[in-house]
Amino acid sequence: MSRIFNFSAGPATLPLPVLEQVQAELLDWQGSGMGVMEMSHRDKDFTSIAQACERDLREVVGIPSHYKVLFMQGGATAQFAVVPQNLLRGKASADFVVTGDWGKKAQKEAARLGGARVVASSEAQKFTTIPDRASWSLDPDAAYVHITSNETIHGVEFPDAPEVGSVPLVSDMSSSFASRPFDVSRYGLIYAGAQKNIGPAGLTLVIVREDLIGQVLPGTFAIHDYKVMADNDSMLNTPPTFPWYVCGLVFQWMKREGGLAAIGERNARKAALLYDYLDAQDFYNNPVARPYRSQMNVPFTLAAPELDAEFLKGSKAAGLIGLKGHRLLGGMRASIYNAMPEAGVAALVEFMKEFVRTKG
Ligand SMILES: *Cc1c(COP(=O)(O)O)cnc(C)c1O
């Protein structure tokens, strides 16, 4: 077997011990005589897997008991609509801080269902920064304030939860969930597609404060109603059982790694290694304002874009894949999620140095 370093933005690399455990249990999960993929979601074996997943997630992240954890489908994209369906609660509008393309999409989708005010945007700066908090024109009567904690395409990340008073803060954490310690109680709702930092595609996590649910817009489908999902332990219908199981193994792995504090320190070291190199030379450039640089997704361009194809070819030959930038930005992007080892980032920096030395 040969494993490469996979810098893809998502679906993305998973921890090797998790994949090995999946492999070992694929045909026979703990003496049950069948694999998890084949189990009924009503089976007590699967129920125990689902409950352990939630328990481990609550423990590793520190989720207070007055928050519901929902395991949904449809990705973050479905949540762009499902959040306003559940959280508008008779209010006229929600506020959106737009710091990249995902936030822009979330705002557009919400605008189909009610008011969706853009209260701050860094689009004029090509999403290379986060507008100063003092400049946001927040509505004290807004249903919620929506942010994208980490903009995956542009590589822009909120260093912390912004202060928004008593209006519930909602965050799309798809690409930064559990990448370092954070305080769930600062948020009314957090959502994240699994395929960036948590597990395989197919599962979407929603963590929501209990008092915010149960007042959906008329016409909302049961499967999109957080209260209905919570009352049915996220099993109103057949859930994505296999991704749910793998996510559970990832949460166990995170505990063994020392929890979010240790994982966050490792992520900070990885990001520093790459950004320090980017800042120490002139051939590669990352355009993002330093306080808002993402620890998870690092876009960069080459001073000679005609060498992009050669860079990608050479990096692939060196065992580094998934570095092609998003089609909106071009250039390169290195996604360095929890499961990317420090050795992977070190190998990338070595390759970048060698590429400049020989081609730059
Ligand atoms: C990937 C991503 C999305 C879209 O996720 P899907 O699961 O494909 O719907 C939304 N927001 C952010 C921040 C993302 O990184």
Side-chain angles (χ1 to χ4, degrees):
M1 184 194 69
S2 78
R3 296 271 299 168
I4 42 145
F5 290 121
N6 175 9
F7 293 91
S8 170
T13 191
L14 285 165
L16 186 58
V18 167
L19 295 175
E20 285 168 342
Q21 188 173 346
V22 169
Q23 184 180 46
E25 295 178 338
L26 193 67
L27 306 186
D28 179 7
W29 181 82
Q30 299 188 7
S32 66
M34 62 181 159
V36 177
M37 255 187 274
E38 307 166 284
M39 283 177 191
S40 164
H41 59 297
R42 310 283 179 203
D43 190 290
K44 72 171 177 12
D45 282 342
F46 186 76
T47 310
S48 75
I49 289 170
Q51 287 171 350
C53 175
E54 178 170 339
R55 222 168 30 241
D56 290 329
L57 166 64
R58 282 184 178 274
E59 184 187 325
V60 80
V61 170
I63 302 175
S65 58
H66 62 296
Y67 283 73
K68 297 285 188 192
V69 175
L70 306 175
F71 298 85
M72 299 184 73
Q73 300 188 56
T77 304
Q79 295 304 315
F80 293 167
V82 175
V83 168
Q85 284 176 320
N86 282 269
L87 257 55
L88 277 174
R89 296 167 294 136
K91 303 227 179 210
S93 62
D95 286 352
F96 284 77
V97 180
V98 178
T99 54
D101 237 70
W102 289 117
K104 203 171 148 178
K105 286 203 169 84
Q107 187 273 335
K108 263 198 185 148
E109 194 74 349
R112 291 151 47 97
L113 296 160
R117 297 172 62 237
V118 178
V119 294
S121 169
S122 55
E123 189 162 17
Q125 290 79 39
K126 298 196 170 132
F127 296 132
T128 55
T129 188
I130 290 177
D132 192 22
R133 170 67 191 80
S135 70
W136 302 2
S137 53
L138 293 176
D139 169 8
D141 290 324
Y144 57 91
V145 180
H146 183 282
I147 63 167
T148 310
S149 284
N150 181 60
E151 283 284 357
T152 320
I153 297 171
H154 305 274
V156 175
E157 184 171 4
F158 278 86
D160 205 353
E163 183 53 57
V164 294
S166 60
V167 176
L169 181 64
V170 171
S171 180
D172 176 359
M173 282 197 193
S174 292
S175 51
S176 57
F177 183 79
S179 61
R180 54 195 161 110
F182 67 106
D183 183 357
V184 173
S185 72
R186 299 282 303 275
Y187 301 85
L189 185 148
I190 291 162
Y191 63 95
Q195 73 274 18
K196 310 282 166 63
N197 213 15
I198 308 171
L203 192 74
T204 314
L205 273 186
V206 176
I207 300 169
V208 58
R209 219 175 63 207
E210 234 162 36
D211 62 288
L212 295 174
I213 66 175
Q215 302 172 63
V216 289
L217 284 183
T220 301
F221 305 145
I223 196 71
H224 290 159
D225 184 330
Y226 293 145
K227 178 77 166 55
V228 174
M229 284 300 268
D231 290 347
N232 287 276
D233 299 321
S234 303
M235 292 198 201
L236 180 67
N237 73 326
T238 317
T241 50
F242 195 72
W244 195 333
Y245 152 72
V246 180
C247 288
L249 298 184
V250 171
F251 298 138
Q252 287 171 21
W253 171 79
M254 291 173 69
K255 280 167 62 176
R256 291 196 304 273
E257 292 293 292
L260 293 195
I263 286 172
E265 281 168 23
R266 184 164 67 209
N267 285 334
R269 285 196 300 273
K270 281 152 53 185
L273 187 62
L274 189 45
Y275 284 117
D276 285 351
Y277 173 63
L278 285 168
D279 291 340
Q281 49 72 58
D282 299 323
F283 184 74
Y284 305 102
N285 178 53
N286 168 279
V288 177
R290 288 186 192 207
Y292 307 120
R293 281 173 162 180
S294 169
Q295 270 196 18
M296 293 282 102
N297 310 95
V298 184
F300 59 91
T301 51
L302 277 54
E306 64 276 12
L307 293 178
D308 281 4
E310 199 165 339
F311 182 94
L312 289 167
K313 200 170 147 222
S315 53
K316 188 171 179 200
L320 314 165
I321 69 128
L323 288 164
K324 192 174 171 34
H326 191 276
R327 60 186 188 281
L328 285 174
L329 289 191
M332 307 297 152
R333 172 177 51 176
S335 296
I336 50 176
Y337 298 123
N338 288 353
M340 171 60 66
E342 291 184 84
V345 181
L348 172 61
V349 170
E350 280 317 304
F351 172 79
M352 290 167 75
K353 286 181 182 166
E354 184 61 15
F355 188 83
V356 182
R357 202 180 61 74
T358 54
K359 310 274 162 58

